Amino acid sequence: MGDGQKTKRGQGDRLAQICTAIRRAILDRALRPGDRLPEDTLGERFGASRTIARHALGQLAAEGLVDLRRNRMAVVAIPSLDEARDIFDLRVVLERQVVLNLAGRLTAQQMRQLQALVDAEHKARHGEDGMSIRLATEFHVKLAEMTGKSILIRYVTEICYRAGLALSAFGRPHSSDCAVSEHLDLIEAIRTGPPEKAADLMEAHLEAVAGRALLHAADARNRDLMEILAPYAEPG
Amino acid sequence: MGDGQKTKRGQGDRLAQICTAIRRAILDRALRPGDRLPEDTLGERFGASRTIARHALGQLAAEGLVDLRRNRMAVVAIPSLDEARDIFDLRVVLERQVVLNLAGRLTAQQMRQLQALVDAEHKARHGEDGMSIRLATEFHVKLAEMTGKSILIRYVTEICYRAGLALSAFGRPHSSDCAVSEHLDLIEAIRTGPPEKAADLMEAHLEAVAGRALLHAADARNRDLMEILAPYAEPG
DNA sequence: TCGGCATCAATTGCATGCACTTTTCTTGCG
DNA sequence: CGCAAGAAAAGTGCATGCAATTGATGCCGA
């Protein structure tokens, strides 16, 4: 064992490896909407052949993180503003469910885990902005995982990543996307509060995030060309 | 044009073709939980190589319809009773959203489309039971599509298929899984009623379906071995 | 200088081949 | 007669090769 460097080690799942790497890169804004993802490059980077990279891109496309058009190079998905809104709308619904499932049932150990994640967020707050989306997402995903319901976990995880992508597309770079204190309040509400109240807090939290990021997004960028030109289309 | 039979025609997407074929087969109960899905056979059946079949299986696994374990043959997923319950729980939440989106906004044409689907269900009612799940599912999926929200559409579609699989695993063969009249009531409620009321009706409808199928499922089959043997474990 | 067109490098789509793993069948033994 | 060990068959995991498509480059005429 402890052999050289590549041939037999993580052999297990380079596919999953590629997927998670790309997901993380998207949350970190290292990959931004529209960025190209050539199969060769991907495969080469991870010591796999195009076959694997291709398969990974297929999975990511199924998750809505990658756009895959025939005979064209794969690109990181470019969410429209409407899609972004729909994503956050549904995210609210799903995460409300998470909170309803969890309210009043957190074990001490789970509390500790969540606390640790929030601490990490707090520390990273002093660093660059890029990591904040990822850490915030990890918090929300961990919450979902605590429900133990695999379907809910999968959907929440997926939609959190897509929301992160939307934030990357529309959020202002320096906006504090997920206020750390809000996560703390959330934990407290889930631990003590009545389920409905905790769920409402989650809803408010997510609305706040979406609001901060998307409210005036149309002013800032990515507007449809039609929309941009509309005012200029009047005769005279 | 009008060439022979295979080489250049549907070339476009044999992958999607395989996926939809398997999905339909699952809803029709032609494929049942645990059925084997060898790559070769699949590819051969659809005039594609294993590469494509493999990719298709990957997609279906991502949707939760197929179980994919390393070096083992793919099988149609075998939902546990808990999973089945979680699926229906989340399905209720998602389809409530669909109804809330649609309530009071159906166009005349949309009404006609839904009516047509219910008619088809009514006709098939006289035929064998197998088709009823698929037609009922098509009704629910069509409703989701009418929201125009791609994320909602994707999740509802997926969860409907998984629910169909759960029904296939636990539902009694002769149970009328989706009462046709309930779908009619649903349409009416969505057209006229206040959103919340329509959503409640959808919830009641789905609870009824799940209840009919899953309530006593544990009595009928698929019990855990531990559970089965528990009464016999007493000493003496 | 600019737009259209041919050529070419880069890239995807897919099948096939080979190594390895699992499953099934067979055969010999208790 | 059952059953376990081993051999053969079937199947998966993955890389690579080749044809087809695309996007870019450069050329030429206006």
Side-chain angles (χ1 to χ4, degrees), chain A residues 11-13 51 54-56 58-59 62-64 68 70 82-84 86-87 89-90 93-94 97 148-152 154-156 158-159 162, chain B residues 11-13 51 54-56 58-59 61-64 70 82-84 86-87 89-90 93-94 97 148-152 154-156 158-159 162:
Chain A
Q11 179 74 267
D13 234 349
T51 307
R54 183 183 185 70
H55 205 100
Q59 299 292 312
E63 294 169 21
L68 216 48
R70 190 176 183 80
D82 278 343
E83 272 175 333
D86 292 346
I87 286 171
D89 284 352
L90 191 54
V93 172
L94 292 177
Q97 281 311 112
K149 307 197 179 209
S150 60
I151 302 108
L152 194 53
R154 207 157 70 66
Y155 285 177
V156 169
E158 193 178 303
I159 213 165
R162 291 187 72 172
Chain B
Q11 177 77 270
D13 235 348
T51 308
R54 183 182 184 70
H55 204 100
Q59 299 291 312
E63 295 169 20
R70 189 175 185 83
D82 277 343
E83 271 176 334
D86 292 347
I87 286 171
D89 284 352
L90 191 54
V93 172
L94 291 178
Q97 282 310 112
K149 306 197 178 207
S150 60
I151 301 108
L152 194 52
R154 204 157 73 65
Y155 285 175
V156 169
E158 193 178 302
I159 212 164
R162 291 188 73 172

Side-chain angles (χ1 to χ4, degrees), chain A residues 62-158:
Chain A
E63 294 169 21
L65 293 179
V66 162
D67 269 3
L68 216 48
R69 275 150 59 211
R70 190 176 183 80
N71 281 321
R72 278 184 178 62
M73 213 172 352
V75 296
V76 176
I78 307 174
S80 70
L81 189 51
D82 278 343
E83 272 175 333
R85 279 195 261 258
D86 292 346
I87 286 171
F88 271 100
D89 284 352
L90 191 54
R91 181 176 175 178
V92 166
V93 172
L94 292 177
E95 295 217 48
R96 275 192 71 101
Q97 281 311 112
V98 170
V99 172
L100 288 177
N101 268 278
L102 254 37
R105 300 185 197 176
L106 285 182
T107 68
Q109 185 187 344
Q110 287 175 326
M111 285 290 300
R112 253 176 281 126
Q113 287 181 6
L114 293 173
Q115 207 76 47
L117 284 179
V118 175
D119 285 352
E121 285 187 77
H122 190 71
K123 284 200 194 80
R125 203 99 184 51
H126 304 285
E128 57 192 317
D129 162 74
M131 203 173 301
S132 66
I133 294 183
R134 196 179 84 210
L135 289 172
T137 300
E138 277 171 19
F139 175 82
H140 286 268
V141 167
K142 179 59 92 182
L143 229 39
E145 285 171 353
M146 288 176 176
T147 66
K149 307 197 179 209
S150 60
I151 302 108
L152 194 53
I153 295 171
R154 207 157 70 66
Y155 285 177
V156 169
T157 304
E158 193 178 303

Side-chain angles (χ1 to χ4, degrees), chain B residues 55-117:
Chain B
H55 204 100
L57 287 171
Q59 299 291 312
L60 293 166
E63 295 169 20
L65 293 179
V66 162
D67 268 4
L68 215 48
R69 275 151 58 211
R70 189 175 185 83
N71 280 322
R72 279 184 173 66
M73 210 160 24
V75 296
V76 175
I78 306 174
S80 71
L81 190 50
D82 277 343
E83 271 176 334
R85 280 195 260 259
D86 292 347
I87 286 171
F88 272 100
D89 284 352
L90 191 54
R91 181 174 175 179
V92 166
V93 172
L94 291 178
E95 294 216 51
R96 275 192 72 101
Q97 282 310 112
V98 170
V99 171
L100 289 176
N101 268 278
L102 253 36
R105 299 186 198 175
L106 286 182
T107 68
Q109 185 189 344
Q110 287 175 325
M111 286 290 302
R112 254 176 279 128
Q113 287 181 8
L114 293 174
Q115 207 78 44
L117 284 179

